[in-house]
């Protein structure tokens, strides 16, 4: 083991040839990159980015709600993230009477800030290489199961020790480089986080799903929250007595403007990338899973849209769900195209054949063919599981029935009440039913009989082979369609509930998949992971001059690059900045996604942009070469002096394959220019009290 670790340590430090701007680096090891960052324009030190002995920029960055990033911008706990990251909170506070999604929301006093049960933000206290501790007691003769058990036991001990020392501490031990390294991440989590401001969706989601994942972009994708703490600044559950959190560090804002070619760095929590997997793994994504998942989601989106267009109440109910479905749907399309354009599969095959020649006679001999055959063996099972997840598992009534029946049987009346309220607030049965018919028909056509539950075929036979008739029965006889009936349920109803058609559907599918598909998927994935550990190490030895960064895993990373346009196709060049002129060009009251609020038009007509203007306009978004991923939404985009110049929220369509292959010519992250954020807070929200809290530097 020792030998492997030193090889990795060496390649992390020495190499210098990672392709321009590719990479998501561990903050604790940023001293290895700081020379390159400084050469590219950064003026601060590694300690300014990450330190455990003094306040550093990391103390102004949070993991927001378990899937986004946020940054602190005032000494009183004010936090910026994306509108789409705060979307479900904004939506939960909205109704037809108070439609904060449509109209925006601005707390004019602290008392008006809205609590969000269930929302937490986590600060990274420190991260630590615990590889030796986690593998303490490991012997070469151990099986993979024994190794995993050891890793689990040793990790738990480390975690217990780490969290014993303070309020709100949480920790996790994560494998990096497929388990060639382990790091512990210790967080402090605050759970009283209140909504302070959000622009109307016609600004915060301007361009909607039409512009999503695209450049040029004009989306005002931000929302504002505030962290509250107890009197000692420690995490505490929501209480009226809590006070605004006083951060160790918050970002100063650079409002003087940024130019093409300037250095930027993004500090945040990218969720998941797979840069080092072999060609077969990529082929499954680009040729098989992305295409069928896209087709299934197209059906769901079309159905949702039809009903949302007919009724404003349904639009509010389904806005968040619809955006969730649409987001991955569109990304997968760009990703697939990118993989095909780059020829990633063929390139990887060519790499694998050179690797195999090199590996001949070494401990790495045979890894590639073994991985190849494992991937092929996995494919039909993975397909069956992915198809199930994107079809049968998406039926809302079924999901609700399973949760609610379990709560009813356990006699948990108050939890049942809460789940029931939340479900019916945003449920529209005709959508769910039509989706059932569409996706289950596809399931029948596309999943081979051996890979689907016999229950599916036998029930279908009862309805003469008609999914539509099945849906008619299920959506009229299930007790879970009827709110009053659900509210009346109790532990005595357990038996009857077992036979409810929605409960039965969920149970039969999940138990059959659980017994017949999942075990194979788990076993094969475990074997693949195990081989990937060796393959990863082998790749590092094979390419001693290349610098490797660990795949993203929702841990804090630094990505750096510079502001830069790109050419999406022959004869076309995209400039790196957009302005409010572009908003006015797109503005169209007839098109939902491009209907900017009247107040915005009025402000633009006055031409008074205050301190936020530049050359008679206001900058809105910009693109740069930072390597980001899902989870980086809301991340601070930082200038060469460590100041906030933007909020990251997306990537360009032609570059969405960056989770698998980063291409410096096409991969760009999209950020909101901080001046547009301030312009909206000021001129649309009239919330200058928030701007007063911030430290704004004009130079
Ligand atoms: N594409 C961005 C990201 O992956 C923004 C998503 C916002 N959602 C939407 N459906 N427009 O998260
Ligand atoms: N929009 C993404 C997010 O929500 C960011 C990305 O995938 O580039 O994290």
């Amino acid at each position: 083991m020792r030998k492997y670790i030193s090889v990795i340590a060496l390649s992390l430090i020495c190499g210098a040839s990672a392709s321009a701007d590719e990479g998501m680096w561990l903050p604790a090891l940023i001293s290895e990159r700081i020379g390159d960052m400084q050469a590219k324009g950064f003026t601060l030190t590694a300690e300014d980015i990450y330190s455990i002995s003094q306040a550093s920029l990391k103390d102004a960055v949070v993991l927001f709600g378990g899937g986004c990033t946020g940054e602190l911008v005032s000494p009183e706990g004010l936090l910026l993230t994306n509108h789409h990251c705060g979307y479900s909170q904004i939506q939960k506070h909205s109704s037809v009477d108070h439609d904060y999604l449509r109209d925006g929301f601005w707390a004019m006093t602290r008392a008006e800030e809205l609590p969000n049960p269930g929302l937490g933000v986590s600060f990274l206290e420190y991260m630590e290489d615990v590889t030796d501790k986690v593998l303490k007691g490991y012997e070469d003769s151990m099986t993979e199961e024994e190794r995993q058990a050891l890793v689990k036991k040793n990790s738990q001990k480390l975690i217990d020790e780490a969290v014993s020392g303070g309020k709100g501490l949480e920790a996790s031990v994560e494998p990096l480089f497929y388990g060639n390294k382990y790091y512990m991440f210790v967080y402090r989590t605050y759970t009283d986080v209140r909504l302070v401001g959000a622009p109307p969706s016609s600004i915060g989601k301007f361009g909607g799903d039409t512009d999503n994942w695209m450049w040029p972009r004009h989306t005002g994708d931000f929302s504002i929250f505030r962290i509250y703490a107890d009197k000692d600044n420690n995490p505490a559950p929501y209480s009226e007595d809590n006070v605004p959190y006083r951060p160790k560090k918050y970002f100063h804002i650079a409002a003087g403007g940024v130019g093409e070619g300037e250095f930027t760095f993004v500090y945040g929590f990218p969720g998941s990338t797979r840069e080092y997997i072999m060609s077969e793994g990529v082929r499954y994504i680009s040729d098989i899973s992305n295409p069928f998942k896209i087709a299934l989601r197209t059906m769901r989106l079309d159905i949702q849209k039809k009903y949302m267009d007919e009724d404003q109440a349904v639009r509010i109910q389904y806005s968040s769900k619809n955006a969730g479905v649409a987001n991955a749907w569109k990304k997968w399309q760009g990703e697939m195209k990118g993989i095909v354009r780059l020829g990633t599969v063929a390139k990887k095959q060519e790499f694998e054949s050179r690797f195999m020649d090199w590996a001949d006679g070494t401990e790495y001999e045979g890894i590639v063919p073994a991985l190849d055959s494992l991937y092929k063996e996995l494919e039909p099972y993975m397909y069956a599981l992915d198809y199930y997840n994107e079809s049968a598992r998406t039926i809302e009534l079924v999901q609700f029935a399973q949760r609610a029946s379990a709560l009813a049987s356990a006699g948990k009346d108050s939890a049942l009440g809460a789940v029931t309220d939340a479900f019916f607030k945003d449920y529209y049965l005709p959508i769910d039913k039509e989706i059932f018919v569409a996706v289950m028909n596809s399931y029948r056509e596309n999943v081979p009989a051996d890979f689907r539950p016999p229950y599916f075929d036998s029930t279908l036979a009862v309805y003469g082979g008609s999914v539509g008739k099945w849906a008619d029965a299920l959506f009229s006889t299930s007790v879970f369609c009827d709110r009053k009936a659900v509210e009346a349920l109790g532990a005595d109803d357990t038996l009857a509930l077992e036979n409810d058609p929605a409960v039965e559907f969920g149970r039969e599918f999940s138990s059959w998949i659980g017994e017949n598909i999942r075990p194979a998927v788990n076993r094969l994935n475990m074997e693949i992971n195990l081989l990937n550990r060796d393959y990863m190490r082998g790749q590092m030895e094979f390419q001693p001059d290349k610098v490797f960064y660990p795949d993203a895993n929702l841990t804090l990373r630094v990505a750096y690059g510079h502001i830069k346009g790109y050419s999406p196709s022959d004869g076309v060049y995209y400039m790196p900045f957009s302005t409010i002129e572009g908003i006015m060009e797109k503005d169209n009251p007839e098109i939902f996604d491009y209907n900017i609020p009247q107040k915005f038009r009025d402000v633009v007509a006055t031409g008074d942009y205050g301190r936020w203007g530049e050359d008679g306009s206001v900058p809105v978004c910009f693109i740069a070469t930072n390597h980001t991923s899902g989870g980086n939404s809301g991340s601070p985009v930082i200038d060469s002096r460590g100041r906030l110049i933007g909020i990251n929220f997306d990537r360009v369509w032609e570059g969405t394959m960056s989770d698998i292959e980063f291409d410096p010519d096409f991969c760009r992250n999209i950020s909101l220019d901080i001046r547009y954020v301030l312009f909206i807070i000021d001129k649309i929200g009239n919330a200058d009290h928030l701007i007063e809290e911030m430290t704004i530097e004009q130079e």
Side-chain angles (χ1 to χ4, degrees):
M1 199 63 219
R2 184 150 300 270
K3 172 180 143 224
Y4 308 146
I5 291 168
S6 63
V7 168
I8 288 166
L10 210 71
S11 46
L12 278 173
I13 297 164
C14 301
S17 62
S19 92
D21 301 333
E22 172 175 359
M24 308 170 160
W25 310 98
L26 290 172
L29 299 179
I30 205 65
S31 56
E32 293 163 9
R33 308 297 314 167
I34 197 75
D36 189 43
M37 292 175 78
Q38 288 168 342
K40 290 178 173 159
F42 192 52
T43 62
L44 305 185
T45 66
E47 279 277 295
D48 292 324
I49 296 177
Y50 175 93
S51 171
I52 46 172
S53 56
Q54 65 188 51
S56 61
L57 293 180
K58 83 157 172 51
D59 300 312
V61 183
V62 292
L63 176 64
F64 180 90
C68 278
T69 305
E71 56 275 5
L72 278 290
V73 289
S74 98
E76 295 182 89
L78 202 63
L79 175 156
L80 295 177
T81 186
N82 291 143
H83 188 261
H84 78 261
C85 294
Y87 205 75
S88 67
Q89 281 77 32
I90 306 166
Q91 197 242 5
K92 274 182 208 140
H93 293 296
S94 296
S95 62
V96 175
D97 299 336
H98 296 281
D99 191 347
Y100 300 141
L101 279 179
R102 189 188 58 205
D103 305 328
F105 170 76
W106 305 98
M108 287 300 163
T109 63
R110 298 275 156 94
E112 284 172 18
E113 299 178 352
L114 298 170
N116 300 286
L119 174 65
V121 298
S122 304
F123 292 87
L124 179 70
E125 294 270 305
Y126 63 93
M127 56 189 288
E128 184 188 339
D129 183 346
V130 291
T131 314
D132 292 343
K133 292 177 187 161
V134 162
L135 292 176
K136 194 163 171 230
Y138 177 71
E139 282 162 27
D140 283 341
S141 59
M142 283 184 173
T143 63
E144 182 58 10
E145 282 81 2
E146 287 167 336
R147 186 183 186 276
Q148 282 191 355
L150 179 79
V151 165
K152 202 167 160 203
K153 189 178 107 223
N154 287 343
S155 300
Q156 195 54 50
K157 219 168 88 196
L158 291 169
I159 291 172
D160 292 344
E161 276 166 26
V163 301
S164 64
K167 271 195 185 168
L169 289 182
E170 290 173 358
S172 71
V173 171
E174 304 291 343
L176 298 175
F177 296 116
Y178 291 93
N180 284 294
K181 285 255 176 198
Y182 289 90
Y183 266 76
M184 178 161 69
F185 298 85
V186 179
Y187 301 97
R188 191 179 296 273
T189 298
Y190 286 79
T191 51
D192 185 352
V193 184
R194 304 187 195 166
L195 179 64
V196 174
S201 294
S202 49
I203 291 173
K205 216 188 154 190
F206 183 79
D209 286 305
T210 318
D211 284 7
N212 190 22
W213 298 110
M214 309 260 257
W215 184 256
R217 191 66 161 278
H218 302 88
T219 311
D221 197 346
F222 77 95
S223 59
I224 312 173
F225 287 79
R226 191 187 305 280
I227 306 173
Y228 280 78
D230 69 13
K231 281 185 225 47
D232 303 318
N233 213 28
N234 283 320
Y238 170 80
S239 153
E240 278 186 23
D241 298 334
N242 284 348
V243 293
Y245 167 71
R246 295 181 306 283
K248 285 188 227 161
K249 184 95 188 168
Y250 65 93
F251 283 101
H252 290 195
I253 291 171
V258 282
E260 178 149 22
E262 272 177 40
F263 175 89
T264 67
F265 104 73
V266 173
Y267 210 172
F269 290 86
S272 154
T273 61
R274 284 173 285 181
E275 311 284 348
Y276 308 108
I277 57 172
M278 69 165 296
S279 54
E280 266 305 291
V282 178
R283 190 187 59 78
Y284 175 72
I285 296 170
S286 63
D287 295 10
I288 298 178
S289 76
N290 280 9
F292 82 71
K293 291 195 296 194
I294 291 163
L296 284 167
R297 287 195 178 206
T298 304
M299 295 177 201
R300 289 164 64 201
L301 290 166
D302 288 348
I303 293 165
Q304 290 178 350
K305 180 166 187 308
K306 185 175 77 183
Y307 290 99
M308 288 167 77
D309 283 348
E310 280 169 9
D311 185 339
Q312 177 66 6
V314 177
R315 179 177 289 284
I316 296 174
Q317 287 181 316
Y318 276 75
S319 55
S320 187
K321 298 177 197 174
N322 181 268
V325 179
N327 193 41
W329 167 80
K330 195 159 178 188
K331 184 203 157 181
W332 291 329
Q333 298 178 48
E335 180 177 79
M336 214 167 90
K337 279 190 160 179
I339 292 172
V340 171
R341 188 187 53 236
L342 291 179
T344 307
V345 174
K347 265 197 260 177
K348 289 210 174 227
Q349 282 166 345
E350 187 271 332
F351 172 83
E352 285 149 17
S353 96
R354 282 190 292 121
F355 179 89
M356 281 192 289
D357 291 345
W358 168 84
D360 218 11
T362 73
E363 61 173 306
Y364 303 110
E365 183 174 341
I367 287 185
V368 167
L371 270 173
D372 187 72
S373 64
L374 282 173
Y375 272 114
K376 293 203 163 90
E377 206 185 320
L378 175 67
E379 188 171 304
Y381 294 100
M382 203 62 227
Y383 177 82
L385 183 61
D386 284 341
Y387 215 104
Y388 157 69
N389 282 331
E390 285 289 324
S391 57
R393 285 256 336 240
T394 67
I395 307 305
E396 294 177 71
L397 186 73
V398 171
Q399 288 174 352
F400 171 58
Q402 286 187 284
R403 262 191 91 190
S405 63
L407 291 172
S409 309
K412 295 191 172 152
D413 292 346
S414 73
L416 176 63
V419 167
T420 305
D421 284 348
F423 176 74
F424 282 104
K425 175 174 184 286
D426 291 331
Y427 186 62
Y428 190 61
L429 187 144
I431 290 184
D432 201 27
K433 183 175 167 187
E434 213 167 306
I435 287 179
F436 180 97
V437 176
V439 299
M440 296 317 291
N441 266 321
S442 297
Y443 187 80
R444 168 173 56 188
E445 279 157 32
N446 296 313
V447 178
D450 293 355
F451 286 86
R452 60 190 196 215
Y455 157 84
F456 176 76
D457 295 280
S458 60
T459 313
L460 203 54
V462 173
Y463 296 103
S466 162
V467 174
K469 290 204 176 110
W470 184 355
D472 286 341
L474 194 149
F475 285 87
S476 60
T477 59
S478 169
V479 67
F480 295 96
C481 303
D482 177 353
R483 178 173 194 148
K484 290 229 159 54
V486 180
E487 280 163 354
L489 291 176
D492 314 346
D493 298 306
T494 306
L495 248 176
L497 287 183
E498 277 178 19
N499 296 321
D500 182 273
V503 176
E504 184 185 46
F505 182 97
R507 183 185 60 236
E508 291 295 325
F509 260 95
S510 74
S511 66
W512 191 85
I513 299 276
E515 279 159 30
N516 298 279
I517 303 293
R518 248 182 243 284
V521 168
N522 292 346
R523 173 178 60 80
L524 291 163
N525 269 332
M526 181 149 114
E527 287 180 41
I528 288 173
N529 275 338
L530 178 59
L531 277 185
N532 267 337
R533 194 185 307 145
D534 294 338
Y535 184 43
M536 185 76 239
R537 215 168 53 236
Q539 291 183 55
M540 289 171 154
E541 277 185 45
F542 177 50
Q543 303 163 283
D545 293 333
K546 179 171 167 172
V547 194
F548 288 84
Y549 54 90
D551 267 323
N553 59 352
L554 209 63
T555 58
L556 188 61
R557 301 297 175 92
V558 170
Y560 60 93
H562 53 284
I563 297 175
K564 194 176 179 194
Y566 73 109
S567 171
S569 56
D570 186 44
V572 181
Y573 177 73
Y574 281 153
M575 295 191 296
F577 300 100
S578 65
T579 67
I580 55 171
E581 310 311 307
I583 296 181
M584 300 320 290
E585 278 168 18
K586 285 179 178 172
D587 178 29
N588 184 343
E590 305 292 309
I591 303 175
F592 183 82
D593 283 346
Y594 295 123
N595 185 7
I596 200 82
Q598 186 54 41
K599 186 166 182 187
F600 190 97
R601 295 184 193 118
D602 296 343
V603 172
V604 171
T606 68
D608 172 16
Y609 304 140
R611 329 185 231 167
W612 325 119
E614 184 183 80
D615 301 332
S617 188
V618 181
V620 175
C621 296
F622 63 88
I623 49 175
T625 59
N626 304 297
H627 189 181
T628 55
S629 187
N632 268 123
S633 273
S635 299
V637 184
I638 303 164
D639 74 358
S640 60
R641 289 158 62 187
R643 304 172 308 171
L644 190 70
I645 52 172
I647 309 174
N648 182 73
F649 69 98
D650 210 359
R651 279 171 284 167
V652 303
W653 165 257
E654 297 82 3
T656 43
M657 69 298 177
S658 64
D659 292 345
I660 290 160
E661 182 176 354
F662 183 90
D663 177 352
D665 289 335
F666 287 95
C667 294
R668 297 289 179 273
N669 65 308
I670 308 181
S671 308
L672 199 55
D673 192 302
I674 200 68
R675 289 168 293 173
Y676 185 61
V677 174
L678 297 168
F679 168 77
I680 297 295
I681 297 175
D682 180 3
K683 302 283 180 190
I684 302 295
N686 300 115
D688 345 347
H689 59 289
L690 299 178
I691 297 178
E692 274 156 28
E693 276 185 47
M694 304 176 195
T695 306
I696 296 178
E697 300 176 8
Q698 283 305 138
E699 284 307 308

